């Protein structure tokens, strides 16, 4: 439950960040507007042709009498449009990130710079970054499609299909949406897509708490466009806490001891590569020095400077 609430907070943090940086919010709207126009056209076409698709997909019901034929095809149309809408929510983010890869890369980098310790981007050309983003999005969408097909057929189960299955569907969509949104910051850290999935599976509550509210809000027309820049900013902040960076502060006293003080056996930090590292000298002190011999003194000096009697 704590992770679930933390995920919701990251969405709020991202929206607050873009509210404080209005220029970057406007900058992040451009690819979302382009994707919105494309998806609106596809959904309108699906709504117009859904009846014909239902008739084509259920030829066995042509001879059924009323009301069974209308009921079956009505359920089919409803599930078809719900599935198309869910797929649109999932792929909208992927398509928007693909269209706006340079936009959101700049936005995410600005978020990290404002927070400090921004990791450097991999030295790759833009076309290669877009290809990697496309390949990773296809990998994620294929996994999401497998769950979508299963939930589609479970939707025909009486009662469960109308209550439990939609709730599970929103949570699954939220998880994969979180994977897509975090891909910008994860790609900057050169983390492969399978590792991203593994990391977020280990924190399912965090991913679902972040992604599911976005899925629900994206169902409202035009809200996806308005929230997209803040969603990218929130995902960047989430990744900063999920993935420890090389700039993590050292524990007290570690500055003097050095990073190698904690090197395990057989690691390069240990002397010769074996055994623990010897304890370092205290800060600002060198190795202990032997007291001076009498012949090192130029004169008798004080009694405090001489070695003890019987030396």
């Amino acid at each position: 439950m704590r992770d679930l609430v933390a995920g919701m907070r990251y969405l709020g943090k991202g929206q607050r960040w873009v509210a404080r940086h209005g220029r970057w919010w406007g900058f992040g709207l451009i690819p979302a507007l382009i994707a919105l126009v494309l998806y609106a056209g596809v959904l309108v076409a699906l709504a117009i042709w859904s009846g014909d698709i239902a008739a084509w997909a259920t030829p066995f019901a042509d001879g059924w009498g009323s009301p069974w034929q209308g009921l079956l095809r009505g359920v089919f149309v409803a599930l078809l449009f719900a599935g198309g809408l869910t797929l649109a929510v999932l792929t909208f983010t992927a398509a928007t990130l693909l269209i706006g890869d340079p936009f959101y890369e700049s936005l995410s980098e600005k978020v990290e710079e404002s927070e400090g310790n921004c990791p450097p981007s991999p030295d790759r050309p833009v076309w290669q970054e877009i290809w990697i983003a496309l390949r990773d999005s296809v990998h994620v969408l294929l996994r999401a499609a497998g769950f979508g097909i299963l939930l589609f057929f479970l939707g025909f189960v009486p009662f469960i299909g109308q209550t439990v299955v939609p709730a599970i569907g929103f949570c699954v969509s939220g998880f994969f949406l979180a994977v897509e949104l975090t891909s910008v910051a994860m790609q900057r850290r050169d983390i492969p897509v399978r590792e991203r999935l593994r990391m977020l599976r280990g924190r399912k509550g965090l991913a679902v708490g972040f992604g599911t509210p976005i899925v629900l809000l994206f169902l409202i027309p035009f809200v996806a466009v308005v929230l997209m820049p803040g969603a990218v900013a929130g995902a960047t902040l989430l990744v900063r806490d999920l993935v420890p960076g090389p700039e993590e502060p050292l524990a007290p006293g570690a500055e003097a001891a050095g990073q190698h003080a904690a090197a395990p056996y057989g690691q390069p930090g240990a002397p010769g590569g074996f055994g623990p590292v010897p304890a370092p000298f205290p800060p600002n002190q060198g190795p202990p020095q032997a007291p001076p011999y009498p012949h090192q003194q130029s004169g008798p000096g004080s009694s405090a400077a001489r070695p003890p009697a019987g030396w």
Side-chain angles (χ1 to χ4, degrees):
M1 183 60 70
R2 184 180 301 174
D3 268 358
L4 201 67
V5 174
M8 296 177 186
R9 285 176 180 165
Y10 280 115
L11 178 59
K13 288 179 182 178
Q15 300 304 325
R16 286 195 297 272
W17 191 93
V18 294
R20 294 195 305 267
H21 302 80
R23 186 173 69 88
W24 285 98
W25 176 74
F27 183 74
L29 287 180
I30 298 172
L33 285 169
I34 296 171
L36 178 66
V37 172
L38 296 175
Y39 274 79
V42 172
L43 288 174
V44 168
L46 180 62
I48 293 173
W49 297 100
S50 59
D52 294 334
I53 295 172
W56 170 81
T58 58
F60 54 86
D62 288 343
W64 290 13
S66 180
W68 305 113
Q69 184 190 81
L71 181 63
L72 174 67
R73 289 180 174 173
V75 170
F76 187 92
V77 167
L79 289 173
L80 179 65
F81 194 77
L85 195 59
T86 301
L87 188 62
V89 170
L90 287 172
T91 57
F92 178 84
T93 304
T96 306
L97 291 174
L98 189 63
I99 295 170
D101 185 75
F103 294 84
Y104 293 130
E105 176 61 35
S106 300
L107 172 61
S108 177
E109 188 173 357
K110 185 65 178 179
V111 173
E112 301 225 45
E113 286 176 356
S114 69
E115 297 294 313
N117 297 327
C118 175
S121 299
D123 188 14
R124 288 191 289 255
V126 175
W127 68 265
Q128 191 174 0
E129 291 285 339
I130 294 175
W131 164 248
I132 292 173
L134 176 61
R135 182 194 63 194
D136 293 350
S137 293
V138 169
H139 181 87
V140 173
L141 289 173
L142 286 176
R143 287 174 175 259
F147 284 96
I149 293 170
L150 176 62
L151 293 171
F152 176 80
F153 286 108
L154 288 175
F156 288 98
V157 178
F159 182 71
I160 295 177
Q162 293 75 45
T163 54
V164 178
V165 172
I168 295 174
F170 281 123
C171 291
V172 170
S173 300
F175 174 84
F176 284 109
L177 187 61
V179 174
E180 285 289 349
L181 287 168
T182 54
S183 64
V184 178
M186 292 278 198
Q187 192 172 323
R188 183 183 302 109
R189 289 161 171 80
D190 226 5
I191 300 174
V193 63
R194 286 182 173 83
E195 180 65 14
R196 299 173 207 166
L197 286 164
R198 187 195 65 78
M199 293 172 67
L200 289 171
R201 277 199 305 266
R203 302 286 298 277
K204 288 188 184 74
L206 189 67
V208 170
F210 178 74
T212 303
I214 302 177
V215 171
L216 296 172
L217 289 169
F218 277 14
L219 296 177
I220 305 172
F222 305 109
V223 169
V225 177
V226 176
L227 294 184
M228 191 64 185
V232 173
T236 302
L237 296 172
L238 186 151
V239 170
R240 285 178 62 85
D241 288 349
L242 184 65
V243 184
E247 303 86 1
E248 293 292 323
L250 303 177
E255 293 86 348
Q259 291 272 0
H260 299 304
Y265 284 85
Q267 294 298 317
F274 298 94
V277 178
F281 298 114
N284 304 323
Q285 294 185 23
Q289 302 292 330
Y293 289 97
H295 64 78
Q296 291 176 308
Q297 301 179 6
S298 58
S302 65
S303 59
R306 299 191 192 113
W311 223 58

